[in-house]
Amino acid sequence: MTLDVLQGIITPPIVKASKGANIPLWLTLPMSGCFVIGCIFLFAPSSSLAAANEQVRWTGIAYLIAAGTFTISALLGWFLAAFPVTNIQDKRSKKVAVHLFIFMMLLTIAAIGKYTQFCTL
């Protein structure tokens, strides 16, 4: 019974800390994928993409912007996981970082979603 109580007390904080520490790792795949796809669309030397219209160029730029916003989000996630809250100023800094993280994720979704909607018209 004591072991169950200790597991109930200790496990949720460890799981929560683990999830927070893995945010930058979760964003590594979309970040690198967007970067590679954007570079392919922009800098393909001898493919049909290089001779394509202006829309392919803007697609590459949109993917590079998404890679940048994923990178900023990963850095904010690292900041949230790495620095503890020890006083009121730290709490305010974390709150601002959380708001920026959410804003960057929404900006990424809006930019790619708006661009793909524009391309299908």
Side-chain angles (χ1 to χ4, degrees):
M1 184 171 143
T2 307
L3 184 60
D4 291 335
V5 172
L6 284 174
Q7 285 178 343
I9 293 171
I10 295 172
T11 304
I14 291 173
V15 170
K16 186 178 178 184
S18 173
K19 286 180 182 177
N22 288 330
I23 288 175
L25 294 176
W26 293 342
L27 295 174
T28 302
L29 181 63
M31 177 177 45
S32 59
C34 286
F35 180 75
V36 168
I37 292 171
C39 286
I40 288 171
F41 280 142
L42 279 178
F43 307 116
S46 62
S47 68
S48 61
L49 295 176
N53 60 8
E54 192 71 14
Q55 190 172 3
V56 172
R57 180 174 167 271
W58 284 108
T59 303
I61 291 172
Y63 272 105
L64 288 178
I65 289 170
T69 56
F70 276 127
T71 303
I72 293 169
S73 297
L75 291 173
L76 287 169
W78 172 78
F79 171 77
L80 290 171
F83 295 105
V85 176
T86 57
N87 56 27
I88 298 295
Q89 183 62 31
D90 290 343
K91 187 174 181 178
R92 279 191 219 124
S93 299
K94 285 244 182 173
K95 188 175 180 180
V96 168
V98 167
H99 288 282
L100 283 173
F101 179 81
I102 293 169
F103 175 74
M104 292 307 294
M105 295 312 306
L106 291 174
L107 181 66
T108 303
I109 293 167
I112 295 299
K114 196 64 147 168
Y115 180 74
T116 54
Q117 178 186 12
F118 172 73
C119 286
T120 57
L121 293 177

